[in-house]
Amino acid sequence: MSRSTQLLLLLYSSLFAALLAASYNIMASISSSSSLFEVLAEEENGLINTDIRNITLIADDHAIIKVSPDNLLHPGGIEYKMMTFNGTVPGPLLKFKEGESVRITMINDGDLVHSLNLHGITGPSQALSGPLNPGENKTWILKVSSKAPSIFMYHCDGDNLNGVWEHVASGMYGSITVGSPTYDQKHPVAKEFYIAFSEVYNTADKGLFKGTNGTIGSFDLGKFVEAGPDLILTNGMAYKHIPWIGTVSRIPLNSDAEIFDVKPGEPTRWYIINAGPRKSLEFNFAAAMIDVLYPLPLLNQHIVENSRYDRSSISANSTSDSDESSGLRYLISIPPGSGTIIEAIFPEQGFYFGNDHDLASILYGSGFVVSAVDNIIS
Ligand SMILES: [Cu+2]
């Protein structure tokens, strides 16, 4: 190799190394600024106890929970062995406010290894508790730095991902929401609703119209791998919010169904997560449009600059995809492990259905009924 070729190679390799270093720096800055939370060490920030809100999550793996009512599709109803945060499915709603500090304590009160994975936070030492053996606990502090409404999922990671599928499908998940007083002041809504979708893969379930004959099952790895759930839960139970389907030929699904009451014309906000762990949620309200607040490519512009339904000012900021920048649409895809915040106005009296447009999901128990009535008797 000639001397000049060697020099040229050296130059190229130095240039490549410099470019690589620059790209790492860019990635590092994106990574550090993309977290919606800043992590604080208590002693470094002079925080006193009263400045910090305490959140305790207790993991357990003994709950037997009714996941389907007794109906034609699931005779006798279905109970299932679940894993829980604080004894409920979904786990407690973690409502964070912009600027506040929270001390999170995770306690493992179960017989298995459990853990906590907080979406929206970067850095494994802060976003992940790491595996906690039965009886162990861990505490750490976060400061919420998000400036815009947002929603994330949190969940158990099993033993550092080993078994994460089973722990999520068995109920160890919940929602993190970040509220923005600035946005709320500008865009008040009449009502807010929280919905969590998730799947159940049940060893004891023999299928539609057969059920479990009273056997309490647990996680079925084969059904999970095949992405063939037995049920899709909405806030911890299939058909929880669907009393019936059909008008001419009616199929009763849940005589104790909880439906959501709204008034025609009033703005409502919906915080939705899809815990999965396998299926995407193609969410829509039959007969109403949805306004997506989170996530949006032009999130901050959209939220700060534009009133909810005044689209006239958007054109100045629009990309070539005007639908994308306005946020108003009929259906939004919510992949497993993610969440969305939407607003909707139900224009006239009647029943509306919040559902997954993968239509098999109705048979699995997914979805919820919204009743719009002028004079709600409560
Ligand atoms: Cu777990």
Side-chain angles (χ1 to χ4, degrees), residues 83 113-115 156 158 167 172:
M83 302 182 192
V113 173
H114 294 292
S115 55
C156 179
H167 291 232
M172 297 194 82

Side-chain angles (χ1 to χ4, degrees), residues 295-315:
L296 262 193
L298 297 174
L299 178 68
N300 292 327
Q301 263 183 351
H302 173 75
I303 287 173
V304 176
E305 303 298 331
N306 303 301
S307 67
R308 182 178 292 112
Y309 295 120
D310 174 12
R311 304 288 158 188
S312 58
S313 60
I314 289 176
S315 56

Side-chain angles (χ1 to χ4, degrees), residues 53-163:
R53 189 158 61 89
N54 288 301
I55 292 172
T56 303
L57 292 172
I58 304 173
D60 198 7
D61 39 53
H62 296 105
I64 305 296
I65 290 180
K66 190 175 184 182
V67 286
S68 171
D70 177 12
N71 61 29
L72 185 67
L73 303 177
H74 301 281
I78 292 178
E79 289 188 316
Y80 178 81
K81 187 178 179 204
M82 305 211 83
M83 302 182 192
T84 54
F85 284 113
N86 295 9
T88 62
V89 178
L93 172 67
L94 306 185
K95 282 179 89 165
F96 293 161
K97 282 180 299 205
E98 175 189 318
E100 77 166 337
S101 299
V102 291
R103 179 190 292 106
I104 295 177
T105 300
M106 161 85 183
I107 300 169
N108 185 356
D109 214 13
D111 290 334
L112 306 171
V113 173
H114 294 292
S115 55
L116 185 62
N117 179 335
L118 300 163
H119 292 194
I121 299 171
T122 58
S125 69
Q126 310 303 332
L128 312 176
S129 70
L132 295 176
N133 286 306
E136 288 184 338
N137 64 75
K138 182 177 179 179
T139 296
W140 67 108
I141 292 177
L142 303 171
K143 181 171 182 180
V144 182
S145 53
S146 172
K147 295 279 189 293
S150 49
I151 183 167
F152 302 94
M153 173 187 168
Y154 70 87
H155 61 90
C156 179
D157 251 351
D159 174 11
N160 198 9
L161 294 180
N162 190 357

Side-chain angles (χ1 to χ4, degrees), residues 151-372:
I151 183 167
F152 302 94
M153 173 187 168
Y154 70 87
H155 61 90
C156 179
D157 251 351
D159 174 11
N160 198 9
L161 294 180
N162 190 357
V164 60
W165 42 87
E166 177 173 2
H167 291 232
V168 172
S170 298
M172 297 194 82
Y173 61 84
S175 297
I176 298 170
T177 64
V178 182
S180 163
T182 316
Y183 181 77
D184 289 345
Q185 210 171 14
K186 192 167 179 185
H187 304 284
V189 288
K191 282 189 172 175
E192 294 188 321
F193 300 92
Y194 296 85
I195 316 281
F197 289 81
S198 68
E199 299 134 25
V200 166
Y201 303 86
N202 186 350
T203 51
D205 199 333
K206 306 296 179 210
L208 285 177
F209 308 104
K210 298 186 184 109
T212 58
N213 293 315
T215 308
I216 294 168
S218 56
F219 179 72
D220 188 315
L221 186 63
K223 288 179 177 177
F224 167 77
V225 169
E226 297 293 324
D230 298 291
L231 298 170
I232 297 180
L233 312 186
T234 309
N235 290 341
M237 188 180 181
Y239 319 99
K240 183 172 185 175
H241 305 291
I242 315 174
W244 41 259
I245 54 170
T247 298
V248 178
S249 298
R250 179 162 294 187
I251 303 175
L253 293 173
N254 185 358
S255 55
D256 296 321
E258 299 165 20
I259 61 173
F260 300 113
D261 291 319
V262 300
K263 288 183 178 175
E266 69 182 6
T268 60
R269 189 176 302 156
W270 301 78
Y271 297 83
I272 300 173
I273 61 159
N274 176 17
R278 291 297 316 263
K279 294 174 71 62
S280 187
L281 169 59
E282 312 306 329
F283 183 80
N284 71 105
F285 280 117
M289 295 296 280
I290 56 183
D291 189 10
V292 181
L293 300 192
Y294 178 88
L296 262 193
L298 297 174
L299 178 68
N300 292 327
Q301 263 183 351
H302 173 75
I303 287 173
V304 176
E305 303 298 331
N306 303 301
S307 67
R308 182 178 292 112
Y309 295 120
D310 174 12
R311 304 288 158 188
S312 58
S313 60
I314 289 176
S315 56
N317 298 326
S318 285
T319 63
S320 56
D321 185 349
S322 58
D323 285 335
E324 194 68 19
S325 62
S326 74
L328 205 61
R329 66 188 74 177
Y330 184 72
L331 184 147
I332 180 169
S333 189
I334 310 174
S338 71
T340 187
I341 306 172
I342 59 175
E343 292 187 351
I345 288 176
F346 303 93
E348 59 185 45
Q349 290 202 83
F351 290 115
Y352 297 78
F353 192 38
N355 73 309
D356 183 349
H357 226 293
D358 173 344
L359 298 177
S361 68
I362 299 171
L363 290 169
Y364 296 137
S366 168
F368 55 91
V369 173
V370 179
S371 168

